Amino acid sequence: MPLAALLLAGCVGYEDRGDPDAAQTSPEAVREVRLRVVEQGDQTLAFVPVSIEGEGPFMFALDTGASSSVVDDDVADRAGLELTGERRSVSGILGTGQVPVAEVDEWRVGDVPIEPGEVTVVDLGPPRGGSGIQGLLGSDVLSDYGSITVDYDDEVLRIPAP
């Protein structure tokens, strides 16, 4: 059973930590990643391109409400991700399930590197209407950047430079 509905409750959350210095940040201090904004019914999803182990890019939904980033099982296979043997509990509006965990050594959101880490591997189901979700970029990754800006109008994700 695909766990997409289980995970996508409140899929795209906007996180604004109210950085009072944001207006004073120079453009050189911010890296931009193009978003693809998709409206499905009453939901607005923001997708970013994510490359994993040199494969992709895959379209990941930004999901600040997810504590762990997720990859579709087909993406994990294509990228050759190694499962750790660990299983984690995931929960959402439809219930709870146990899913495998994989290690990611090299990945990027756009051209911005992401620290190596772990992801949960889930069957997110077949793509629907060309806007299938191949993964979720969760707060475990996004919080590493301190604060991010999601600009839905200009379709860009702004990430502070290191």
Side-chain angles (χ1 to χ4, degrees), residues 75-86:
V75 170
D77 288 344
R78 184 168 156 195
L81 295 183
E82 297 287 328
L83 298 179
T84 66
E86 177 187 356

Side-chain angles (χ1 to χ4, degrees), residues 22 35 46 61 74 113 156-157:
L35 292 175
D74 289 336
V156 67
L157 170 66

Side-chain angles (χ1 to χ4, degrees), residues 9-23:
C11 180
V12 178
Y14 176 73
E15 185 167 325
D16 179 3
R17 297 191 182 179
D19 181 2
D21 298 323

Side-chain angles (χ1 to χ4, degrees), residues 20-88:
D21 298 323
Q24 299 172 8
T25 303
S26 71
E28 295 81 35
V30 175
R31 297 169 290 180
E32 293 187 345
V33 177
R34 296 299 306 165
L35 292 175
R36 186 178 81 185
V37 177
V38 176
E39 294 186 22
Q40 294 181 332
D42 61 350
Q43 286 189 337
T44 301
L45 304 175
F47 290 91
V48 291
V50 174
S51 299
I52 302 174
E53 310 295 5
E55 296 291 329
F58 305 104
M59 295 312 292
F60 277 45
L62 290 180
D63 190 353
T64 59
S67 60
S68 177
S69 293
V70 174
V71 298
D72 183 74
D73 55 359
D74 289 336
V75 170
D77 288 344
R78 184 168 156 195
L81 295 183
E82 297 287 328
L83 298 179
T84 66
E86 177 187 356
R87 295 182 71 82
R88 288 192 186 145

